[in-house]
Amino acid sequence: MGAIITLTSDFGLTDAYTAAMKGVILRINPDVYLIDISHTINAQDISSAAFILSTVYRYFPNNTIHLVVVDPGVGTERRAIALKTPDAYFVAPDNGVLSYILQDYECEKGRLSAGLEAVQLTNKKHWLIPVSNTFHGRDIFAPVAAHLSLGVPFAEFGDNIDIISVLPAQKPRIGSGIVTGNIIYIDHFGNLITNIGKDLITGRSTDMTVKIGNREIKGLSRNYSGGQELLALIGSSGRLEIALREGSASQYLGAHIGDEVSLYEALYNEGLKHIQGGNRQ
Amino acid sequence: MGAIITLTSDFGLTDAYTAAMKGVILRINPDVYLIDISHTINAQDISSAAFILSTVYRYFPNNTIHLVVVDPGVGTERRAIALKTPDAYFVAPDNGVLSYILQDYECEKGRLSAGLEAVQLTNKKHWLIPVSNTFHGRDIFAPVAAHLSLGVPFAEFGDNIDIISVLPAQKPRIGSGIVTGNIIYIDHFGNLITNIGKDLITGRSTDMTVKIGNREIKGLSRNYSGGQELLALIGSSGRLEIALREGSASQYLGAHIGDEVSLYEALYNEGLKHIQGGNRQ
Amino acid sequence: MGAIITLTSDFGLTDAYTAAMKGVILRINPDVYLIDISHTINAQDISSAAFILSTVYRYFPNNTIHLVVVDPGVGTERRAIALKTPDAYFVAPDNGVLSYILQDYECEKGRLSAGLEAVQLTNKKHWLIPVSNTFHGRDIFAPVAAHLSLGVPFAEFGDNIDIISVLPAQKPRIGSGIVTGNIIYIDHFGNLITNIGKDLITGRSTDMTVKIGNREIKGLSRNYSGGQELLALIGSSGRLEIALREGSASQYLGAHIGDEVSLYEALYNEGLKHIQGGNRQ
């Protein structure tokens, strides 16, 4: 089996936009293996696309090519780019959709760290000509990914760049005995996924308290069948999650992306102590 | 082309959970053929997953591996299992999702009939380590299916078991001239599919009467374009179905899974005769 | 890699109807490459299926086989057919779903133009027997596509035919300085796609005015990020489209398939001049 190209977009499932990209790719490389990641990302929701991509690229074979087309700026001056990491290739508009990937490689403010390479896609030789103004997924990104899968050298696709656009940083704030983060993604089950990674969570999980709005969750559960209705746990992406047993935490709490979630290292009985910081009882 | 692995889940289409499983599989066996059966089963709806799987596995090439992850009990004591039949392999949580498959092989109360083999998945050698508590699809079921597709002997995955969990039996009740069953699945077109199989339907189809709620349907139709608005027919899965011509029977009747459907071998004009049993007029 | 078969249907994503077709195909030709075009076409919406198919078939490798099952008349006297063009094969019910394909090859009223061939599927040797009355996708169309992908000669599938059913023509009306067409498709982003092709659009795009309902859009934009909220442009399928910047034109305008859209070659300030025809100011 040849190379793998994954596809992520906000094209939905009914229109033929995704199939058009696949057709274009197969015309160039009929031996490629095509895998859909998601095409039902909310229209133009760059942030969710960035998160979804970040949770999955590590599980694919090395040198898999990830094609991402959530592209509200198609036809404008936004750049089309490709990124090469030691693990994978990414072909995408330069609009922040690779933010979490760059975070994984410890890039600061989009500046490529050692071992990463990127190009702006400018070499029309690898495009589908004539290029439309509204569907670069089909006319630029797909043919570039296909040629890349055939072994065209990375540097041939355009000029080297060393900074890539990233979304406004959403890092958790760390205080004394308290970490405050935000919901960055809500999945299909209504689980609330935060930007608080497991590396920030130390101590005994039974001592933790998670706070969202005016609700407190005492202790971290091991799975979604825990003893409490509303529970907090380290989810499969390695981040703090809030879930409702056999239900949707998102609906139950009326929670949204961006909402604040705090993690305390011990139980508090009085609201006042929250203000005083992380004194253990 | 190598082995085929099909995937069935309640993961929905937006999140990357299904893609993560595919990545894991392709890392282990890059030559496998991946086919999606359904990922939009209602969250934790084991019964619908069981039905969907049962209607389709027979159409795949022999020894296809069917991976099913509708797994509300992930991370608890529920077993992870694999089942081998003369036709196919199944890798799934032991929660009833294989009930209709076992029915096809005439297993009584989940006890394996001759020719079937099953193991509890306990051999961590074939898992993705470390195993999360919340996503065994990615960490246990997918890698097991992938290794199975590479030819790892079935017995290597764990200890033999001879009983598998099944859903509470929903067999139709057979009386004199009457069969009473239930709706077990409602499809995308709103067709109501019952547990009354075509083997239970004898006699001339024009003599039949189907009753649901207070509606009577006289005669079985051959297809969805029959002469009546509301019609009954033997559907493509070989079961009695109720359909609405160019519409949704489910919406029209307000019908639900579990609702009772009766089949009489002749027309009745008076309610009283229903009680008296199946006397032909 | 072997032949490619694409699949288009109104089966939705939850039921296993599409997977059953894939299983049947893989039993016959395990080396075929299966690509989904769309399965979420509205139930029995032949017109949208026809449009979707027409926008995508050109992008696939030559001789790709396109399997289309939007088939409200399944089990009735409607014919099952296959069409061969210089570019591709199509296997479908004869209900109008190939209308736009035939338009591309300049067929008049469904009469095949030079270079096209079609057969009525009558040779049961290439079917899955017994054929159900309700699922010809699985029992006739899928096995025919699979055998075609194996190289079975086209003429073997049935008797030659020279006329295929087409949808009632929806061609734009051309006046002096004005073209009047209709919305023929609304995509997932809410973009309104008309039957006015770019070949009908001449002159400077800044001079154009597009009218829908009582709204006028002055000038054509190059992309979806144009200067105006509501904009008109030549979309990626080469047709006049109406779009809303970062929103859904369909929702914003309350527009429907069939609604009239007019294109004037110059700006008009007074309603009266519309009637007088295309005098430039």
Side-chain angles (χ1 to χ4, degrees):
Chain A
M1 181 58 65
I4 299 169
I5 296 177
T6 78
L7 301 99
T8 303
S9 78
D10 59 355
F11 292 158
L13 299 162
T14 301
D15 306 322
Y17 299 122
T18 296
M21 294 201 298
K22 291 181 179 177
V24 166
I25 291 170
L26 290 169
R27 269 191 112 104
I28 296 168
N29 183 359
D31 287 320
V32 80
Y33 204 133
L34 296 167
I35 298 283
D36 295 304
I37 290 185
S38 177
H39 298 291
T40 54
I41 291 166
N42 286 333
Q44 315 184 342
D45 181 353
I46 294 167
S47 170
S48 290
F51 177 78
I52 285 171
L53 186 66
S54 76
T55 63
V56 80
Y57 76 96
R58 267 175 289 230
Y59 293 102
F60 279 85
N62 270 12
N63 299 319
T64 291
I65 298 161
H66 301 282
L67 175 54
V68 192
V69 191
V70 177
D71 192 13
V74 61
T76 67
E77 292 304 306
R78 72 97 187 86
R79 304 185 296 184
I81 60 171
L83 170 69
K84 179 183 176 178
T85 78
D87 305 302
Y89 294 91
F90 300 87
V91 180
D94 185 25
N95 61 13
V97 81
L98 302 182
S99 294
Y100 292 108
I101 309 292
L102 294 178
Q103 221 173 72
D104 283 355
Y105 292 98
E106 297 180 358
C107 303
E108 286 293 328
K109 296 183 180 172
R111 181 167 295 279
L112 300 189
S113 57
L116 304 194
E117 270 181 79
V119 290
Q120 179 176 2
L121 304 177
T122 51
N123 186 351
K124 297 185 181 179
K125 184 180 156 193
H126 301 299
W127 299 2
L128 186 67
I129 304 294
V131 170
S132 68
N133 289 312
T134 56
F135 193 5
H136 288 186
R138 180 189 69 197
D139 302 337
I140 298 179
F141 298 114
V144 163
H147 283 114
L148 198 52
S149 76
L150 281 174
V152 171
F154 189 72
E156 267 215 17
F157 293 96
D159 299 327
N160 247 50
I161 55 177
D162 50 15
I163 294 190
I164 288 180
S165 298
V166 289
L167 300 169
Q170 270 194 325
K171 287 196 179 169
R173 283 77 64 201
I174 301 168
S176 166
I178 172 172
V179 179
T180 306
N182 301 85
I183 298 173
I184 57 171
Y185 188 71
I186 298 176
D187 78 6
H188 158 71
F189 296 103
N191 300 323
L192 312 172
I193 299 168
T194 74
N195 57 353
I196 302 176
K198 64 181 167 192
D199 50 309
L200 292 176
I201 302 171
T202 55
R204 291 190 308 166
S205 64
T206 47
D207 290 343
M208 308 273 169
T209 298
V210 173
K211 193 152 183 265
I212 177 166
N214 55 11
R215 302 289 300 242
E216 288 198 346
I217 303 166
K218 296 182 179 179
L220 298 187
S221 299
R222 294 192 70 240
N223 54 55
Y224 297 118
S225 305
Q228 323 174 54
E229 276 255 295
L230 190 68
L231 43 86
L233 76 176
I234 309 299
S236 63
S237 68
R239 295 167 186 273
L240 181 70
E241 256 179 67
I242 294 170
L244 186 70
R245 189 150 55 96
E246 292 174 27
S248 162
S250 162
Q251 265 179 4
Y252 180 70
L253 296 175
H256 297 94
I257 288 178
D259 286 1
E260 213 166 75
V261 175
S262 301
L263 175 75
Y264 300 86
E265 280 182 27
L267 306 177
Y268 293 90
N269 293 316
E270 304 156 59
L272 188 63
K273 292 197 178 167
H274 287 172
I275 298 162
Q276 297 171 337
N279 323 332
R280 283 183 183 262
Q281 295 195 292
Chain B
M1 181 57 66
I4 298 169
I5 296 178
T6 78
L7 299 99
T8 303
S9 78
D10 59 354
F11 292 157
L13 298 162
T14 301
D15 306 321
Y17 298 122
T18 296
M21 294 200 299
K22 290 180 179 178
V24 166
I25 291 170
L26 290 169
R27 269 192 112 105
I28 295 168
N29 183 359
D31 288 319
V32 80
Y33 204 133
L34 296 168
I35 298 282
D36 294 304
I37 290 185
S38 177
H39 297 291
T40 53
I41 291 167
N42 287 333
Q44 316 185 340
D45 181 353
I46 293 167
S47 170
S48 289
F51 176 79
I52 284 170
L53 185 67
S54 76
T55 63
V56 80
Y57 76 96
R58 267 174 289 231
Y59 293 102
F60 280 84
N62 270 12
N63 299 319
T64 291
I65 297 161
H66 300 282
L67 175 54
V68 191
V69 191
V70 177
D71 193 13
V74 60
T76 67
E77 291 305 306
R78 73 95 188 86
R79 303 185 297 183
I81 59 171
L83 170 68
K84 180 182 178 179
T85 79
D87 305 303
Y89 294 91
F90 300 87
V91 180
D94 185 25
N95 60 13
V97 80
L98 302 181
S99 294
Y100 293 108
I101 309 291
L102 294 178
Q103 221 172 72
D104 283 356
Y105 292 99
E106 298 181 359
C107 302
E108 286 294 326
K109 296 183 181 172
R111 181 166 296 277
L112 301 188
S113 57
L116 304 194
E117 269 180 78
V119 290
Q120 180 176 1
L121 304 177
T122 50
N123 186 351
K124 297 185 181 180
K125 184 181 156 192
H126 302 298
W127 298 3
L128 186 67
I129 302 295
V131 170
S132 69
N133 290 311
T134 56
F135 193 4
H136 288 186
R138 180 189 68 196
D139 302 336
I140 297 179
F141 298 114
V144 162
H147 286 292
L148 198 52
S149 77
L150 282 175
V152 171
F154 190 72
E156 266 214 19
F157 292 97
D159 299 327
N160 248 51
I161 55 177
D162 50 14
I163 294 191
I164 287 180
S165 299
V166 289
L167 300 169
Q170 270 195 325
K171 287 196 178 170
R173 282 76 63 201
I174 300 168
S176 166
I178 173 173
V179 179
T180 306
N182 302 85
I183 299 172
I184 56 171
Y185 187 72
I186 298 175
D187 79 6
H188 157 72
F189 296 103
N191 299 324
L192 312 173
I193 300 168
T194 74
N195 56 352
I196 301 176
K198 64 182 168 193
D199 51 308
L200 292 176
I201 302 172
T202 56
R204 291 189 309 165
S205 64
T206 47
D207 291 343
M208 308 274 169
T209 298
V210 173
K211 193 152 183 265
I212 175 166
N214 55 11
R215 302 289 300 241
E216 287 198 346
I217 303 166
K218 295 181 181 181
L220 298 187
S221 299
R222 293 192 71 240
N223 55 54
Y224 297 118
S225 305
Q228 324 174 56
E229 275 254 296
L230 190 69
L231 44 85
L233 77 175
I234 310 298
S236 63
S237 67
R239 295 167 185 273
L240 181 69
E241 255 179 67
I242 294 171
L244 186 71
R245 189 149 56 95
E246 294 176 25
S248 161
S250 162
Q251 264 179 6
Y252 180 69
L253 296 175
H256 297 95
I257 288 180
D259 286 1
E260 213 166 75
V261 174
S262 301
L263 175 75
Y264 300 87
E265 280 182 25
L267 305 177
Y268 293 90
N269 294 315
E270 303 156 59
L272 189 63
K273 291 199 178 167
H274 287 174
I275 297 163
Q276 297 172 338
N279 324 331
R280 284 181 182 264
Q281 295 194 291
Chain C
M1 181 57 65
I4 298 170
I5 297 177
T6 77
L7 299 99
T8 303
S9 77
D10 60 353
F11 292 158
L13 298 162
T14 301
D15 305 322
Y17 299 122
T18 296
M21 294 201 299
K22 292 181 179 178
V24 166
I25 290 170
L26 290 169
R27 269 192 112 105
I28 295 168
N29 182 359
D31 287 318
V32 79
Y33 204 133
L34 297 167
I35 298 283
D36 295 304
I37 290 185
S38 177
H39 298 291
T40 53
I41 290 166
N42 286 333
Q44 315 185 342
D45 181 353
I46 294 167
S47 171
S48 290
F51 176 79
I52 285 170
L53 186 66
S54 76
T55 63
V56 80
Y57 76 97
R58 267 175 289 230
Y59 294 101
F60 280 85
N62 270 12
N63 298 320
T64 291
I65 298 161
H66 301 282
L67 176 54
V68 192
V69 191
V70 176
D71 193 12
V74 61
T76 67
E77 291 305 305
R78 73 96 188 86
R79 303 185 299 183
I81 60 171
L83 170 68
K84 179 183 177 178
T85 79
D87 305 303
Y89 294 91
F90 301 87
V91 180
D94 185 25
N95 60 13
V97 80
L98 302 181
S99 295
Y100 293 108
I101 309 292
L102 294 178
Q103 221 172 72
D104 283 355
Y105 292 98
E106 297 180 0
C107 303
E108 286 293 329
K109 296 183 181 171
R111 182 166 296 279
L112 300 189
S113 57
L116 303 195
E117 269 181 78
V119 290
Q120 180 176 1
L121 303 178
T122 51
N123 186 350
K124 297 185 182 181
K125 183 180 157 193
H126 302 298
W127 298 2
L128 185 68
I129 303 296
V131 170
S132 69
N133 289 312
T134 56
F135 193 5
H136 288 186
R138 180 189 68 195
D139 301 336
I140 297 179
F141 299 113
V144 163
H147 286 292
L148 198 52
S149 76
L150 280 175
V152 170
F154 190 72
E156 267 215 19
F157 293 97
D159 299 327
N160 247 50
I161 56 177
D162 51 15
I163 294 191
I164 286 180
S165 299
V166 289
L167 299 170
Q170 271 196 322
K171 287 195 179 171
R173 283 78 62 201
I174 301 168
S176 166
I178 172 173
V179 179
T180 306
N182 301 85
I183 298 172
I184 57 171
Y185 188 72
I186 299 175
D187 79 6
H188 157 72
F189 296 103
N191 299 323
L192 311 173
I193 299 168
T194 74
N195 57 351
I196 302 176
K198 64 182 168 193
D199 51 308
L200 293 176
I201 302 172
T202 56
R204 291 190 306 166
S205 65
T206 47
D207 290 342
M208 308 273 168
T209 298
V210 173
K211 193 151 183 267
I212 176 166
N214 55 10
R215 303 289 299 242
E216 288 198 344
I217 303 165
K218 296 183 178 180
L220 299 187
S221 299
R222 294 191 70 241
N223 54 55
Y224 297 119
S225 305
Q228 321 174 57
E229 275 254 296
L230 191 68
L231 44 86
L233 76 175
I234 310 298
S236 63
S237 68
R239 296 167 185 274
L240 182 69
E241 256 179 66
I242 294 170
L244 186 71
R245 189 151 54 95
E246 292 175 27
S248 161
S250 163
Q251 264 179 5
Y252 180 69
L253 297 174
H256 296 95
I257 287 178
D259 286 2
E260 214 167 73
V261 174
S262 301
L263 175 75
Y264 300 87
E265 281 183 23
L267 305 177
Y268 293 88
N269 293 314
E270 304 157 58
L272 189 63
K273 290 198 179 166
H274 286 174
I275 297 162
Q276 298 172 338
N279 323 330
R280 284 181 183 264
Q281 296 194 292

